[in-house]
Amino acid sequence: MRCNSLVLLCALLASSIGAQTMAATAAAARVSPEGRLIATMRVGAALKTGATKANWTAVTIEGFLHKSVVSVKKDAITIHASSGAALRVSADASAPIVAVIEDGASVDKQSTNGDWFRVKRDAWVQTRELKTVIAKAPPLVGGAPARAATTQGAPQRVATLPPRAAPVVAPVVASHPDAAPGAGDFAAAHPLVLRAAPDGQPSGTADSAARVRIVARDHGWARVQAEGWVRESELIPVDSSSVSAVSAADLRSDPEHYKGSTVRWVVQAIAVQAADPLRKGLAPDEPYLLARGPGSESSLLYLALPAALVASARALPPLSYIMVLARVRAGRSDPSGVPILDVLRIVPR
């Protein structure tokens, strides 16, 4: 209740000092509270907010869709893309993504711009997935502009950045051992906590062996760039342009080519099982979700589950449809030829 009150207070202040509500996480937008999924927001996407109901807030999602992923009937547009359609901030294939709209979802057409449609859609998002940023014009303090103040509506998971700051691109645990220091390099005097903005929330760490390069300074803070190495299997794409638009048939036809690719599929969950010795490519007793898909395909799939997702997978209703973000482990396993994928995320539909 207190969280909803803060969001409403921020909305009332908007006309006088300027406010913007954004998605604080990859929030699920639904047709109604607890209703069917229609879109997955991108972190930082701007939203117009409306009424609140319990722990939910009504939002309006706006952006541009390319004609290749939709069908049009008068002013109604329906998504036709098995992996979802990228809604972008402008009519440009390289523009930032606002949200990924689910296959079969409908949106309202506002205007046409060449091969693009400007659209909007009303939806509901859990209030805790939103953050409201309020900023006054920065007053001059000692001849230099002060940093803008921010007020948070829902709990922030990603810090809001002042105008002159930007997130650290890659929080680092260790430097490459063979990297040569440059003229602008600094050594960490002790283990560092990296933050998305001055006084912002922690976004990573760097140990005392790390080297960083200062690229900007702001009132005693330094924005740094750092490099390090992590296992690719530990990374999840933020932009859907990093997600491969491939089918299960593609994986089976050229398994080596697609190994390691990330896919975003809608599949039908059948059952959670434990791997037996016949399931080559899966570890003995490794939990996996037996599924069918993606989309209209009837291919069987082995979706390997990390420990953190086993309970969620077991709780799925029988034969329910879900969206999974997964990385290809084997495009064609022996002896059955069934693709094996490592699940990164499950979203019930």
Side-chain angles (χ1 to χ4, degrees), residues 12-336:
L12 292 172
L13 292 172
S15 60
S16 61
I17 57 179
Q20 187 172 42
T21 300
M22 297 182 289
T25 68
R30 300 183 181 275
V31 294
S32 61
E34 307 292 352
R36 177 173 56 86
L37 178 72
I38 56 173
T40 303
M41 305 305 303
R42 286 291 182 264
V43 175
L47 296 165
K48 293 181 180 178
T49 58
T52 60
K53 182 183 295 185
N55 297 322
W56 296 81
T57 297
V59 300
T60 299
I61 307 167
E62 297 185 79
F64 289 82
L65 290 169
H66 193 265
K67 68 176 185 180
S68 63
V69 294
V70 302
S71 63
V72 184
K73 186 175 182 180
K74 294 185 178 180
D75 290 333
I77 291 179
T78 303
I79 307 303
H80 285 296
S82 61
S83 297
L87 181 73
R88 299 183 182 273
V89 298
S90 62
D92 187 330
S94 62
I97 295 174
V98 176
V100 175
I101 310 295
E102 294 294 303
D103 182 36
S106 61
V107 294
D108 297 325
K109 184 176 75 171
Q110 303 298 296
S111 61
T112 304
N113 186 346
D115 292 338
W116 295 80
F117 297 105
R118 181 176 180 82
V119 303
K120 72 175 183 178
R121 171 69 201 231
D122 294 331
W124 289 83
V125 173
Q126 288 193 313
T127 304
R128 66 171 186 223
E129 307 287 357
L130 303 175
K131 62 180 178 182
T132 300
V133 179
I134 301 176
K136 295 180 180 180
L140 291 178
V141 179
R147 292 197 300 274
T150 62
T151 299
Q152 300 172 347
Q156 277 190 326
R157 299 186 188 179
V158 178
T160 304
L161 305 182
R164 291 171 294 177
V168 175
V169 174
V172 188
V173 176
S175 304
H176 190 293
D178 298 326
D185 287 350
F186 289 78
H190 51 75
L192 303 177
V193 176
L194 303 178
R195 301 178 185 274
D199 296 315
Q201 295 295 319
S203 61
T205 59
D207 68 22
S208 56
R211 288 193 296 270
V212 299
R213 176 163 297 187
I214 295 176
V215 296
R217 291 179 170 85
D218 187 359
H219 295 80
W221 290 83
R223 179 181 172 224
V224 299
Q225 289 181 343
E227 295 183 357
W229 290 83
V230 298
R231 293 187 182 279
E232 188 175 2
S233 61
E234 298 172 328
L235 302 177
I236 297 176
V238 174
D239 191 319
S240 66
S241 63
S242 303
V243 178
S244 298
V246 299
S247 65
D250 292 329
L251 300 187
R252 292 192 301 271
S253 65
D254 194 354
E256 289 302 315
H257 176 74
Y258 292 108
K259 186 175 181 180
S261 297
T262 302
V263 299
R264 183 179 182 273
W265 281 351
V266 173
V267 302
Q268 186 179 34
I270 299 175
V272 176
Q273 300 182 350
D276 57 44
L278 295 178
R279 303 294 187 269
K280 299 187 184 301
L282 290 165
D285 296 323
E286 181 177 10
Y288 69 95
L289 177 63
L290 180 64
R292 190 183 302 277
S296 60
E297 290 187 72
S298 59
S299 172
L300 286 178
L301 305 168
Y302 297 153
L303 305 180
L305 296 166
L309 293 180
V310 172
S312 298
R314 291 189 188 279
L316 293 170
L319 303 181
S320 61
Y321 285 90
I322 59 174
M323 186 276 284
V324 295
L325 186 68
R327 183 173 288 110
V328 178
R329 182 189 297 188
R332 187 176 61 234
S333 63
D334 292 329
S336 61

